[in-house]
Amino acid sequence: MKAPKFSYIRADSLDHALELLDKHGEDARILAGGQSLMPTLNMRLSQPEVLVDINRLNDLKGISLDGDTVVIGALTRHIDVMNSDIVAEHLPLIAEAMPHVAHVAIRNRGTIGGSIALSDPAAEMPACALALGATLIVQSSSGKREIPAEEFFHGLYETARAENELLVEIRYPSQKKDNVSVFMELARRHGDYAIAGVCAYGKVSGNMVEDMRLVYFASEDRPIIGENAVAALNGKAWCDETKDAVTSALENDLDPMANLHGSATMKMHLQKVLTGRVMDTAVTRAGGAS
Amino acid sequence: MGFIHPYDRPNSYIGRTLPRSRAKRAVAGRGRYTDDITPPRTLHAAFVRSPYAHARILKIDVEAAKAAPGVKLVMTGAELAEMCTGPWIGTLTVFENMKAEPQYPMAVDRACWHGEPVVMIIAETRAQAEDAGELVMVDYEELPVVINKDTALNAGSPVIHANLGDNKAWENTLGSGDVDKAFAEADHVLEETFYFGRHTAVSLEPRIVLCEYDQGTERLTIHTSSQCPHMIETVFARTLGVPEHNVRIVAPDVGGSFGLKIHTFGDEVAATAAAIKLGRPVKFVADRLESFVSDIHARENRVKAKIGIMNDGTMIAAEIDDLSGAGAYSQYPRTSVFEANQILNITFGPYKHPNYRAKATVVYLNAVPTSQYRAVGHPIGISVGEHMMDWAADVTGLDPFEIRRKNVMEDDSYPRNIGSGIPIKDLSHQACLEKLHGLMEYDKLLAEQAELRENGIYRGIGVAGFIKGTAPSPVGYYGAGGARIAAQDATTVKLEPSGGIIVALGVTDQGQGVDTVMEQIAAAAIGCHMDQVRAISGDTDAIPYGGGTYASRATAIGGEATYQAALDLRREILHMAGILLQTDPENLDIVDGNVVDDGSTDARIPLSEIGRIGHFQLGELPNDYQPVLSHTRRYRLQDSPYIYTNGIHGAYVEVDVDTGWIKHLKHWVVEDCGRIINEQLADEQIRGGCVQGLGGALYEHCIYNDYGQLQNGTMADYVTPMMSEMPDIHVGHVQTPTSESELGAKGAGESGTGAAPGVMMNAVNNAIKPLTEGRVTEQPITPELVLKALRKI
Amino acid sequence: MSEEMVTVNMTVNGEPVTKTIPVRTHLVDFIRTELGFTGSHLGCEHGVCGACSVRVDGDVVRGCLMLAAQAEGADVMTIEGITDTGEIADLQDKFVERNALQCGFCTPGMLMTAAELLSHKSEMSRNDIREFMSGNYCRCTGYHAIVDAIESINNERLKG
C-alpha cells in the first residue's frame, strides 16, 4: 500500500504556490495537512502528477480578530483552532465542533482550510462555515475572490474553488451577543465522520426563535441549510408544536444519501431527532426553558 | 507434591501475577516483529488481486510489468501451480460427506472471490512491485456470483464449483432426546431467527512472511507472524515439495493473531515459491487493504432457534438450525465448516434440557474463505441461546438470573453430557452465577434502572452464561480428523551449565504471556527463581514439535507438558544431587535454585554446581549414570474431546431510544478457567476477548454488495472498537481445576469473545423492553437495528 | 513517470540524518527502512490505527500521513527516542506492571499519544483519557489496562 510515483514541490511562497497551480492545472494536488489526501495516495485512489506542498506558507496560518470578523488562515491546524481563545469566545460553534474532528494526531496536522476545501459531506468544518455565514477567500495568480459559504459547497467533494485557486483564508462573522450556537453530531465512534449532524446558529429570546440557521451535514452530498425547516422555525416559540412543524418541513429539505453506515430513512430520522435536540439546547443556552 | 498450590512454599509462582518478559522491550519500541527483519538483498512481493467475485481468467499480459523498474519476477497462478505438489483440498475425514473444491495458492483459470490473488510481482521495493502490478493486464470474463447464503442452495442458483454439484459444503445434524414430543408438551414454544454479520480478525500487525532459501543447503527459512510454526512448516514443505526437516519456521514477536494466524494463505506460499526460485529473500506483508480481502473471514450465520418452556421456567427442549456462509473455498487445512459444528456443539450448553436437535448447513459463497477466528462459533451459539433464555424469562415472568438458576447444570452433577452429546466435567455454573450477581450488585442496578426509566433514560442489564470448548484433543477434529495439526504439545526443559533453565515450548506466545506462564510453571515445579528460567518459543529449530497456540490450548496443554517436563528435570537434579551428596534424593528438595535438605532452606548444592558437573565434570559421577538434564514431555487430552470452561457475563448499557445509540457503561465477567497460573494475564485475556466480542456485537461487519464485492475493506469503513466507546471490564474468577491434568489449567483466551456479543444483545433488548415488542436479533447491533426494534423507523 | 528522488535532512531521535529517497516515501517507511528505527509500526497505512504515531516538532502525528520530504528540517522523535530520553519511563514501567500491552504492536503509538496527553499536565477522568486516546487501535487488551496505566501516571505526575 505504497503511494504511486509523483513529483513533489514545496511552495516557498504564496505566489510560488499559485504559479505551480497555474502551471500544472488538474495534474496538481495541493498538499496541506494531508490527512485526507495521504490516505488516498497510499491507497492509490488518487494519482496526481504533482503535489504542491503548501505547509511552509506561514502567512496562511493564524487566527486573528478583525473588528467583528474572525480571520482564520486556511493553513491553521485544527489543534490551533481548538485551542484558540478567539475561537472559544467568538466562534463557540466551531469550538464545540472541534473535539469531534478526528483524533489528536490528525488534529495536529489537519488544517481547517483543507477540510473546507475538500468538502467531505460528513465533515464538521464545512457545516460550521455555512452555519456561521463565513466568507471563503480564494486566490489565484490573477487575484483574490471572496465566496460566501452559501455558494461554496457544490456537491460531493465539489466546491466553487477553481483548480488554480488556493483557499487562503476563512472570515467568520463573530457570534453576535444575543445569538446562540449549538453543534451536534452522531458518529458510531468518537472522532469518526458523522452519520448525521446539525449546526444551529441564530437568535433565541426566551422561547422565541429568530434568524435561526440550521445546517445539516453528513446526510446530503454537502452541508445544506434546512430552508423549509428554518422557515417553519423562525418567528415561532420553540415548543412541541413548532418542533413537529420544523421536523415535518425538514422532509422537504433533505434527501439523505444511504451509505454503509445507514439508510436514508434512518438518516432522516436522526436529523429530525438532532433538530429537536439542538433547538432544545439552543433555548436552554439562551436562558429560556426548553 | 504441592508445587501447584500458590504460596505454600518458596518459588510458588503458580497463581501469582508476574510481569511478562516480552513487555519490557515492547514498550521501548524494541520488539522484533517479522517486518523488523530485513536481510540484505531482500525483495518485496505485491499481488494483483481479482476485482471480481467470480470470473474466468481469459488472458494475463505481464510483459509491461516484467519490464517495469525494479521488477525481478512476475508469476501467474498457473506458473505457481507448476511449482506446487498439488492443490489444497479443505476437507477432513471427521466431517462426513463434506465437499470441497481443490484450491491452488493463486487463481489459475478462475477467480472465485474479490481479492483472490491472481499475479505476483517481486521487485526491489514494495512500491515498485505495486507500480508493476498496475501494468498487469488481465482479461476477465465475469461469471454468475453466489453471495447470498439464503438462496445459495435454491434450485436455479449458480453453482460456484461445478464439480461439487451444488454450493453445499457440508450438512450435519446432532442432538439427543425426543425434541418433537417435548415441544408438543411445552407450555410455551418460542421461535426466533438470528443473523450474524461476517467479520474478520484485523490483527494490528498484518499477515507477513519473510522467506529465505539457501540453495546450497536447500534449507528454507520462513520468518512469519504465526501461531502455529510447525503446522506452517508442514503445510509449506508439503505444498512446495521441500523436505519438512529442511524447513525452519520462526515466529518472532507476533503482532496479534486471534486465530487469523493459525491458517495458511496462498499469497504466503507464492512469496515462498518466489524465494526458492530467485534464491533471494522475499518479504510479503499483506497491507491493510489486501488483509480485508484475503485474511480469513468468519461468523456469517443465520440461526433459527426454537425452545420449549414450561410455566415454571424450565426449558425442556431446544432446537437450532444454522446456515453458515463460507467463502469460495474451504480453508485448508482446517476447513471452513468447523465454526458451524461448534455452534451445534455449544448452543444452550449451560442448560440441562434433555431434548436437543441441532442442524448446520454450510454453503459456499463468492467471498473470502471463512474459518476459525477467536472463539469459533461461540459468539453465535451463546448469543442465540442466551437471547432465548431471556425471552423465556420474560414469557414466564422470571428474572434473568432466576431462570438461569433454574436451568443450569448443577455444580455437583458432573461428569455428564450436554444436549449435543458432548461430555463435560468440572464446571461451575451455579457458583459463577451467584458470584456475578454479587459482583454486579444486581439488585442495586435493578433499582437504578427503574428509577432512571422514570426520567426517560433507558438502561439495560444483560446476563449471558456460557460454556467454551478449549484445548481440543486429538480424538476429534485434530489428528484423527486427518489434519496434520498437532493436538498434543511438548515442552523440553533443560538445565544449562550455568544453572539456568531453558524451557523450549511447542506452544507459542502472541502477547498473551505464554512464555512467562511457562516460566512460572517450570520455576515452581523445579524450585528455582524466575530469573533462572528462560522460555524459548516460536522457532522450529529450537522447540519440540507442537501444535502451537490455538483454541485456548497453550496453558492447558502446553502448561501440563511443561509441568511434567520440569518435574522430570527436578527428579534428575535430585537424583544427581543424591549421588553427589551421598544422600537419598527422597530427603532432598530444591528451593530458590539450591538443592537443600527437605524442610530446610540451607543450600547444600546450587543448580549451577549441578549444571557444571553435569556438563563438564562428568568424571565425578558414577559410570552407570549419564546425565541427560534435558527432558521432553508431551501432553494430550485423553478421554475428553475438549476441556470445557464456563462462566457468565453481565453488561449494563444505556440506549438512546431516539437515535438507537448504545453506550456501554459497565461489563462484568465471572470465569472458571480452572487453575490460574497468572491472574493478571488471565484477566487481560478476558478483557481483551470481551472487547473483541463487543466489536462483533456492535460494529464489525464485512459488507458485500450483490456483485460479491467487499464494500468496506478499509479501517475507516470496517468499524472496530476503540477506546472511547469501550467500558471498564470487571473480572472475577471461580477456579475449578480440570481433572484432565495435574496442573488443572483450562483455556482462557477466547471466552470473552464468545460471550460478550450475547450479553450485549441481551442488555440492549432489556433496555428497550418497556417501549416495544420488538427485539434486536441481528449483529452487529447498529443504531438502525435498534431503531427498527423500537419501531421508530 | 520516473522515480523522483529527494534529499531530506532532519533530526531523528536527536541525531541529524541526511538521506536521498524516493519522494513518495512516507515518514514511517523512511524511519523504519532508511534509519532502522523499527519501533514505529505500520498497521493500516491510511491514518486510522495510530500504530505509526511519531512526534514531529513536538506534536504527535500519523507517520503514514506525512511524506518524509515534508519533515525537512524537522525534529522527529519516535518511541526509541523518547525511551532514551526517559521522558515516559514511568509510563513505560506502568505499562509493564499493569500489562497494558499484549502483542505490543500498538504500544509505541499508544505511548507516543499518551506522552502528549501527559504533557498537558491536566486532570483527566477515565473518560477523558479514553477520548484522547481514541485514535489508537488495540486489538489485544480491551483498553482497560491502558486506561489504568495512563490514569495512574497522570495522577502521580499531577501530585508531583
mmCIF file of all heavy atoms in Angstrom, chain A residues 1-2 5 43-44 47 186-190 260 262-263 266 269-270 273 277, chain B residues 127 130-131 134 287 656 658 661 698-699 719-720 722 724-725 783-784 793:
data_model
loop_
_atom_site.group_PDB
_atom_site.id
_atom_site.type_symbol
_atom_site.label_atom_id
_atom_site.label_comp_id
_atom_site.label_asym_id
_atom_site.label_seq_id
_atom_site.Cartn_x
_atom_site.Cartn_y
_atom_site.Cartn_z
ATOM 1 N N MET A 1 0.852 -1.194 0.000
ATOM 2 C CA MET A 1 0.000 0.000 0.000
ATOM 3 C C MET A 1 0.884 1.239 0.000
ATOM 4 O O MET A 1 0.939 1.970 0.959
ATOM 5 C CB MET A 1 -0.865 -0.042 1.256
ATOM 6 C CG MET A 1 -2.022 0.862 1.202
ATOM 7 S SD MET A 1 -3.075 0.323 2.535
ATOM 8 C CE MET A 1 -3.818 1.840 2.946
ATOM 9 N N LYS A 2 1.610 1.360 -1.094
ATOM 10 C CA LYS A 2 2.552 2.467 -1.207
ATOM 11 C C LYS A 2 2.058 3.433 -2.271
ATOM 12 O O LYS A 2 1.524 3.022 -3.302
ATOM 13 C CB LYS A 2 3.946 1.953 -1.567
ATOM 14 C CG LYS A 2 4.487 0.875 -0.631
ATOM 15 C CD LYS A 2 4.613 1.361 0.807
ATOM 16 C CE LYS A 2 5.097 0.245 1.725
ATOM 17 N NZ LYS A 2 4.995 0.600 3.148
ATOM 18 N N LYS A 5 4.039 6.960 -7.960
ATOM 19 C CA LYS A 5 5.054 7.991 -8.192
ATOM 20 C C LYS A 5 4.388 9.343 -8.438
ATOM 21 O O LYS A 5 3.337 9.426 -9.056
ATOM 22 C CB LYS A 5 5.903 7.600 -9.400
ATOM 23 C CG LYS A 5 6.877 6.485 -9.080
ATOM 24 C CD LYS A 5 7.679 6.057 -10.277
ATOM 25 C CE LYS A 5 6.969 4.967 -11.054
ATOM 26 N NZ LYS A 5 7.807 4.291 -12.037
ATOM 27 N N MET A 43 -3.439 4.523 -0.869
ATOM 28 C CA MET A 43 -4.339 3.502 -1.429
ATOM 29 C C MET A 43 -4.382 3.564 -2.954
ATOM 30 O O MET A 43 -5.131 2.817 -3.580
ATOM 31 C CB MET A 43 -5.756 3.686 -0.881
ATOM 32 C CG MET A 43 -5.885 3.428 0.598
ATOM 33 S SD MET A 43 -7.629 3.342 1.060
ATOM 34 C CE MET A 43 -7.693 4.488 2.388
ATOM 35 N N ARG A 44 -3.647 4.468 -3.523
ATOM 36 C CA ARG A 44 -3.610 4.670 -4.980
ATOM 37 C C ARG A 44 -4.996 4.991 -5.543
ATOM 38 O O ARG A 44 -5.309 4.639 -6.683
ATOM 39 C CB ARG A 44 -3.006 3.442 -5.689
ATOM 40 C CG ARG A 44 -1.553 3.232 -5.305
ATOM 41 C CD ARG A 44 -0.844 2.208 -6.175
ATOM 42 N NE ARG A 44 0.551 2.095 -5.729
ATOM 43 C CZ ARG A 44 1.608 2.034 -6.531
ATOM 44 N NH1 ARG A 44 1.448 2.051 -7.840
ATOM 45 N NH2 ARG A 44 2.820 1.948 -6.041
ATOM 46 N N GLN A 47 -3.941 9.665 -8.124
ATOM 47 C CA GLN A 47 -2.614 9.561 -8.719
ATOM 48 C C GLN A 47 -2.230 10.883 -9.381
ATOM 49 O O GLN A 47 -2.117 10.974 -10.602
ATOM 50 C CB GLN A 47 -2.569 8.416 -9.740
ATOM 51 C CG GLN A 47 -2.984 7.074 -9.147
ATOM 52 C CD GLN A 47 -2.215 5.889 -9.717
ATOM 53 O OE1 GLN A 47 -1.472 6.017 -10.666
ATOM 54 N NE2 GLN A 47 -2.400 4.727 -9.118
ATOM 55 N N LEU A 186 -23.833 12.775 15.289
ATOM 56 C CA LEU A 186 -23.853 11.379 15.706
ATOM 57 C C LEU A 186 -22.852 10.619 14.861
ATOM 58 O O LEU A 186 -22.937 10.610 13.628
ATOM 59 C CB LEU A 186 -25.251 10.781 15.506
ATOM 60 C CG LEU A 186 -26.328 11.311 16.455
ATOM 61 C CD1 LEU A 186 -27.716 10.937 15.936
ATOM 62 C CD2 LEU A 186 -26.122 10.747 17.866
ATOM 63 N N ALA A 187 -21.883 10.035 15.521
ATOM 64 C CA ALA A 187 -20.909 9.185 14.843
ATOM 65 C C ALA A 187 -20.844 7.884 15.612
ATOM 66 O O ALA A 187 -21.076 7.862 16.820
ATOM 67 C CB ALA A 187 -19.543 9.851 14.810
ATOM 68 N N ARG A 188 -20.539 6.790 14.925
ATOM 69 C CA ARG A 188 -20.502 5.499 15.625
ATOM 70 C C ARG A 188 -19.468 5.517 16.732
ATOM 71 O O ARG A 188 -19.670 4.990 17.799
ATOM 72 C CB ARG A 188 -20.191 4.343 14.657
ATOM 73 C CG ARG A 188 -21.300 3.941 13.733
ATOM 74 C CD ARG A 188 -22.614 3.640 14.423
ATOM 75 N NE ARG A 188 -22.609 2.528 15.386
ATOM 76 C CZ ARG A 188 -22.598 1.252 15.074
ATOM 77 N NH1 ARG A 188 -22.573 0.865 13.809
ATOM 78 N NH2 ARG A 188 -22.616 0.323 16.002
ATOM 79 N N ARG A 189 -18.315 6.106 16.408
ATOM 80 C CA ARG A 189 -17.251 6.145 17.411
ATOM 81 C C ARG A 189 -16.737 7.562 17.504
ATOM 82 O O ARG A 189 -16.798 8.323 16.527
ATOM 83 C CB ARG A 189 -16.093 5.224 17.006
ATOM 84 C CG ARG A 189 -16.475 3.785 16.842
ATOM 85 C CD ARG A 189 -15.326 2.996 16.272
ATOM 86 N NE ARG A 189 -14.853 3.540 14.999
ATOM 87 C CZ ARG A 189 -13.875 3.039 14.283
ATOM 88 N NH1 ARG A 189 -13.236 1.985 14.713
ATOM 89 N NH2 ARG A 189 -13.522 3.581 13.133
ATOM 90 N N HIS A 190 -16.188 7.895 18.630
ATOM 91 C CA HIS A 190 -15.634 9.222 18.805
ATOM 92 C C HIS A 190 -14.604 9.506 17.711
ATOM 93 O O HIS A 190 -13.704 8.712 17.474
ATOM 94 C CB HIS A 190 -14.962 9.327 20.169
ATOM 95 C CG HIS A 190 -14.387 10.678 20.412
ATOM 96 N ND1 HIS A 190 -15.160 11.743 20.814
ATOM 97 C CD2 HIS A 190 -13.139 11.162 20.249
ATOM 98 C CE1 HIS A 190 -14.403 12.819 20.898
ATOM 99 N NE2 HIS A 190 -13.174 12.491 20.568
ATOM 100 N N LEU A 260 -22.882 3.012 3.855
ATOM 101 C CA LEU A 260 -22.621 1.827 4.671
ATOM 102 C C LEU A 260 -23.090 1.992 6.101
ATOM 103 O O LEU A 260 -23.317 1.028 6.810
ATOM 104 C CB LEU A 260 -21.116 1.546 4.686
ATOM 105 C CG LEU A 260 -20.494 1.153 3.352
ATOM 106 C CD1 LEU A 260 -18.989 1.129 3.467
ATOM 107 C CD2 LEU A 260 -21.024 -0.217 2.929
ATOM 108 N N GLY A 262 -25.754 3.746 7.193
ATOM 109 C CA GLY A 262 -27.162 3.945 7.488
ATOM 110 C C GLY A 262 -28.000 4.193 6.243
ATOM 111 O O GLY A 262 -27.502 4.694 5.229
ATOM 112 N N SER A 263 -29.256 3.854 6.360
ATOM 113 C CA SER A 263 -30.182 4.055 5.253
ATOM 114 C C SER A 263 -30.626 5.516 5.231
ATOM 115 O O SER A 263 -30.442 6.266 6.191
ATOM 116 C CB SER A 263 -31.410 3.162 5.447
ATOM 117 O OG SER A 263 -32.122 3.596 6.591
ATOM 118 N N MET A 266 -33.098 6.147 8.019
ATOM 119 C CA MET A 266 -32.526 6.363 9.337
ATOM 120 C C MET A 266 -31.912 7.753 9.437
ATOM 121 O O MET A 266 -32.050 8.440 10.440
ATOM 122 C CB MET A 266 -31.467 5.322 9.668
ATOM 123 C CG MET A 266 -30.844 5.623 11.030
ATOM 124 S SD MET A 266 -29.648 4.440 11.622
ATOM 125 C CE MET A 266 -28.168 5.027 10.862
ATOM 126 N N HIS A 269 -34.452 10.295 9.969
ATOM 127 C CA HIS A 269 -34.924 10.211 11.353
ATOM 128 C C HIS A 269 -33.935 10.885 12.302
ATOM 129 O O HIS A 269 -34.316 11.669 13.179
ATOM 130 C CB HIS A 269 -35.130 8.742 11.734
ATOM 131 C CG HIS A 269 -35.397 8.527 13.190
ATOM 132 N ND1 HIS A 269 -36.644 8.684 13.744
ATOM 133 C CD2 HIS A 269 -34.565 8.200 14.216
ATOM 134 C CE1 HIS A 269 -36.566 8.453 15.051
ATOM 135 N NE2 HIS A 269 -35.317 8.167 15.360
ATOM 136 N N LEU A 270 -32.670 10.586 12.123
ATOM 137 C CA LEU A 270 -31.653 11.136 13.035
ATOM 138 C C LEU A 270 -31.558 12.645 12.909
ATOM 139 O O LEU A 270 -31.402 13.359 13.910
ATOM 140 C CB LEU A 270 -30.290 10.500 12.754
ATOM 141 C CG LEU A 270 -30.182 8.993 13.042
ATOM 142 C CD1 LEU A 270 -28.790 8.491 12.644
ATOM 143 C CD2 LEU A 270 -30.475 8.677 14.505
ATOM 144 N N VAL A 273 -34.302 14.059 14.880
ATOM 145 C CA VAL A 273 -34.034 13.982 16.322
ATOM 146 C C VAL A 273 -33.038 15.060 16.723
ATOM 147 O O VAL A 273 -33.224 15.768 17.720
ATOM 148 C CB VAL A 273 -33.508 12.578 16.700
ATOM 149 C CG1 VAL A 273 -33.016 12.562 18.147
ATOM 150 C CG2 VAL A 273 -34.595 11.534 16.487
ATOM 151 N N ARG A 277 -33.095 18.306 19.315
ATOM 152 C CA ARG A 277 -32.116 18.429 20.401
ATOM 153 C C ARG A 277 -31.306 19.722 20.301
ATOM 154 O O ARG A 277 -31.010 20.336 21.329
ATOM 155 C CB ARG A 277 -31.183 17.215 20.399
ATOM 156 C CG ARG A 277 -31.901 15.966 20.849
ATOM 157 C CD ARG A 277 -30.966 14.776 20.927
ATOM 158 N NE ARG A 277 -31.721 13.609 21.396
ATOM 159 C CZ ARG A 277 -31.200 12.412 21.555
ATOM 160 N NH1 ARG A 277 -29.919 12.204 21.278
ATOM 161 N NH2 ARG A 277 -31.937 11.423 21.979
ATOM 162 N N ALA B 127 6.886 -0.591 -3.287
ATOM 163 C CA ALA B 127 6.272 0.427 -4.145
ATOM 164 C C ALA B 127 6.452 0.057 -5.614
ATOM 165 O O ALA B 127 5.519 0.172 -6.420
ATOM 166 C CB ALA B 127 6.874 1.795 -3.845
ATOM 167 N N GLU B 130 4.142 -2.713 -6.549
ATOM 168 C CA GLU B 130 2.776 -2.220 -6.761
ATOM 169 C C GLU B 130 2.675 -1.450 -8.077
ATOM 170 O O GLU B 130 1.678 -1.545 -8.784
ATOM 171 C CB GLU B 130 2.343 -1.329 -5.590
ATOM 172 C CG GLU B 130 2.121 -2.119 -4.309
ATOM 173 C CD GLU B 130 1.557 -1.259 -3.180
ATOM 174 O OE1 GLU B 130 0.833 -0.286 -3.453
ATOM 175 O OE2 GLU B 130 1.866 -1.571 -2.016
ATOM 176 N N ASP B 131 3.718 -0.670 -8.401
ATOM 177 C CA ASP B 131 3.719 0.045 -9.694
ATOM 178 C C ASP B 131 3.551 -0.962 -10.833
ATOM 179 O O ASP B 131 2.741 -0.773 -11.740
ATOM 180 C CB ASP B 131 5.053 0.772 -9.914
ATOM 181 C CG ASP B 131 5.274 1.937 -8.958
ATOM 182 O OD1 ASP B 131 4.312 2.353 -8.290
ATOM 183 O OD2 ASP B 131 6.429 2.425 -8.888
ATOM 184 N N GLU B 134 0.180 -2.513 -11.475
ATOM 185 C CA GLU B 134 -0.785 -1.703 -12.233
ATOM 186 C C GLU B 134 -0.635 -1.906 -13.737
ATOM 187 O O GLU B 134 -1.514 -1.539 -14.507
ATOM 188 C CB GLU B 134 -0.610 -0.215 -11.885
ATOM 189 C CG GLU B 134 -0.972 0.087 -10.434
ATOM 190 C CD GLU B 134 -1.003 1.578 -10.131
ATOM 191 O OE1 GLU B 134 -0.318 2.344 -10.843
ATOM 192 O OE2 GLU B 134 -1.720 1.964 -9.200
ATOM 193 N N ASP B 287 -0.883 -5.764 3.044
ATOM 194 C CA ASP B 287 -1.248 -4.437 3.542
ATOM 195 C C ASP B 287 -2.703 -4.451 3.978
ATOM 196 O O ASP B 287 -3.412 -5.448 3.805
ATOM 197 C CB ASP B 287 -0.905 -3.330 2.539
ATOM 198 C CG ASP B 287 -1.804 -3.327 1.310
ATOM 199 O OD1 ASP B 287 -2.970 -3.747 1.394
ATOM 200 O OD2 ASP B 287 -1.331 -2.866 0.246
ATOM 201 N N ASP B 656 -29.926 5.188 23.778
ATOM 202 C CA ASP B 656 -30.609 6.422 23.410
ATOM 203 C C ASP B 656 -31.766 6.008 22.504
ATOM 204 O O ASP B 656 -31.563 5.647 21.345
ATOM 205 C CB ASP B 656 -29.623 7.339 22.683
ATOM 206 C CG ASP B 656 -30.248 8.672 22.281
ATOM 207 O OD1 ASP B 656 -31.486 8.711 22.072
ATOM 208 O OD2 ASP B 656 -29.505 9.653 22.154
ATOM 209 N N ASP B 658 -34.066 7.476 21.048
ATOM 210 C CA ASP B 658 -34.419 8.290 19.874
ATOM 211 C C ASP B 658 -33.453 8.077 18.719
ATOM 212 O O ASP B 658 -33.835 8.193 17.559
ATOM 213 C CB ASP B 658 -34.433 9.776 20.258
ATOM 214 C CG ASP B 658 -35.561 10.081 21.226
ATOM 215 O OD1 ASP B 658 -36.670 9.524 21.028
ATOM 216 O OD2 ASP B 658 -35.334 10.839 22.180
ATOM 217 N N TRP B 661 -28.455 4.852 19.556
ATOM 218 C CA TRP B 661 -27.054 4.728 20.002
ATOM 219 C C TRP B 661 -26.980 3.988 21.328
ATOM 220 O O TRP B 661 -27.837 4.158 22.198
ATOM 221 C CB TRP B 661 -26.419 6.115 20.146
ATOM 222 C CG TRP B 661 -25.445 6.434 19.046
ATOM 223 C CD1 TRP B 661 -24.107 6.566 19.167
ATOM 224 C CD2 TRP B 661 -25.742 6.676 17.665
ATOM 225 N NE1 TRP B 661 -23.551 6.861 17.942
ATOM 226 C CE2 TRP B 661 -24.517 6.930 17.012
ATOM 227 C CE3 TRP B 661 -26.919 6.671 16.901
ATOM 228 C CZ2 TRP B 661 -24.433 7.195 15.643
ATOM 229 C CZ3 TRP B 661 -26.831 6.925 15.541
ATOM 230 C CH2 TRP B 661 -25.606 7.183 14.929
ATOM 231 N N LEU B 698 -21.280 -4.999 18.045
ATOM 232 C CA LEU B 698 -21.730 -3.622 17.813
ATOM 233 C C LEU B 698 -21.324 -3.039 16.460
ATOM 234 O O LEU B 698 -22.032 -2.201 15.911
ATOM 235 C CB LEU B 698 -21.179 -2.712 18.913
ATOM 236 C CG LEU B 698 -21.703 -2.970 20.324
ATOM 237 C CD1 LEU B 698 -20.938 -2.137 21.331
ATOM 238 C CD2 LEU B 698 -23.198 -2.663 20.405
ATOM 239 N N TYR B 699 -20.173 -3.409 15.962
ATOM 240 C CA TYR B 699 -19.625 -2.657 14.833
ATOM 241 C C TYR B 699 -19.217 -3.472 13.614
ATOM 242 O O TYR B 699 -19.426 -3.050 12.483
ATOM 243 C CB TYR B 699 -18.351 -1.922 15.270
ATOM 244 C CG TYR B 699 -18.480 -1.040 16.472
ATOM 245 C CD1 TYR B 699 -17.773 -1.310 17.640
ATOM 246 C CD2 TYR B 699 -19.295 0.086 16.435
ATOM 247 C CE1 TYR B 699 -17.868 -0.487 18.747
ATOM 248 C CE2 TYR B 699 -19.393 0.916 17.541
ATOM 249 C CZ TYR B 699 -18.682 0.627 18.692
ATOM 250 O OH TYR B 699 -18.775 1.438 19.775
ATOM 251 N N VAL B 719 -15.578 -0.975 10.996
ATOM 252 C CA VAL B 719 -15.529 -0.266 12.269
ATOM 253 C C VAL B 719 -15.129 -1.225 13.392
ATOM 254 O O VAL B 719 -15.825 -2.205 13.658
ATOM 255 C CB VAL B 719 -16.909 0.360 12.571
ATOM 256 C CG1 VAL B 719 -16.808 1.289 13.761
ATOM 257 C CG2 VAL B 719 -17.432 1.112 11.357
ATOM 258 N N THR B 720 -14.023 -0.938 14.024
ATOM 259 C CA THR B 720 -13.548 -1.754 15.139
ATOM 260 C C THR B 720 -13.764 -0.995 16.449
ATOM 261 O O THR B 720 -13.882 0.225 16.444
ATOM 262 C CB THR B 720 -12.048 -2.031 14.992
ATOM 263 O OG1 THR B 720 -11.379 -0.773 14.842
ATOM 264 C CG2 THR B 720 -11.753 -2.913 13.802
ATOM 265 N N MET B 722 -12.920 1.051 19.572
ATOM 266 C CA MET B 722 -11.814 1.898 20.004
ATOM 267 C C MET B 722 -12.027 2.255 21.476
ATOM 268 O O MET B 722 -13.026 1.893 22.082
ATOM 269 C CB MET B 722 -11.723 3.140 19.121
ATOM 270 C CG MET B 722 -11.521 2.836 17.635
ATOM 271 S SD MET B 722 -9.953 2.034 17.204
ATOM 272 C CE MET B 722 -8.893 3.445 16.969
ATOM 273 N N SER B 724 -12.735 4.933 23.223
ATOM 274 C CA SER B 724 -13.761 5.829 23.742
ATOM 275 C C SER B 724 -15.082 5.130 24.052
ATOM 276 O O SER B 724 -15.793 5.521 24.971
ATOM 277 C CB SER B 724 -14.005 6.945 22.728
ATOM 278 O OG SER B 724 -14.215 8.154 23.378
ATOM 279 N N GLU B 725 -15.411 4.144 23.281
ATOM 280 C CA GLU B 725 -16.728 3.515 23.418
ATOM 281 C C GLU B 725 -16.710 2.278 24.302
ATOM 282 O O GLU B 725 -17.764 1.719 24.623
ATOM 283 C CB GLU B 725 -17.281 3.122 22.039
ATOM 284 C CG GLU B 725 -17.700 4.305 21.178
ATOM 285 C CD GLU B 725 -16.535 5.124 20.701
ATOM 286 O OE1 GLU B 725 -15.461 4.542 20.451
ATOM 287 O OE2 GLU B 725 -16.667 6.361 20.600
ATOM 288 N N PRO B 783 -27.255 1.192 15.212
ATOM 289 C CA PRO B 783 -28.356 2.067 15.644
ATOM 290 C C PRO B 783 -29.619 1.820 14.803
ATOM 291 O O PRO B 783 -30.730 1.877 15.322
ATOM 292 C CB PRO B 783 -27.796 3.467 15.405
ATOM 293 C CG PRO B 783 -26.317 3.310 15.505
ATOM 294 C CD PRO B 783 -26.018 1.942 14.953
ATOM 295 N N GLU B 784 -29.416 1.522 13.546
ATOM 296 C CA GLU B 784 -30.567 1.283 12.673
ATOM 297 C C GLU B 784 -31.394 0.087 13.167
ATOM 298 O O GLU B 784 -32.627 0.137 13.190
ATOM 299 C CB GLU B 784 -30.062 1.039 11.245
ATOM 300 C CG GLU B 784 -31.167 0.923 10.232
ATOM 301 C CD GLU B 784 -30.833 1.612 8.916
ATOM 302 O OE1 GLU B 784 -29.648 1.917 8.670
ATOM 303 O OE2 GLU B 784 -31.771 1.851 8.144
ATOM 304 N N ILE B 793 -38.251 3.593 12.993
ATOM 305 C CA ILE B 793 -38.102 3.751 11.542
ATOM 306 C C ILE B 793 -38.587 2.480 10.865
ATOM 307 O O ILE B 793 -38.695 1.441 11.483
ATOM 308 C CB ILE B 793 -36.641 4.033 11.098
ATOM 309 C CG1 ILE B 793 -35.689 2.933 11.559
ATOM 310 C CG2 ILE B 793 -36.181 5.386 11.599
ATOM 311 C CD1 ILE B 793 -34.288 3.063 10.997
#
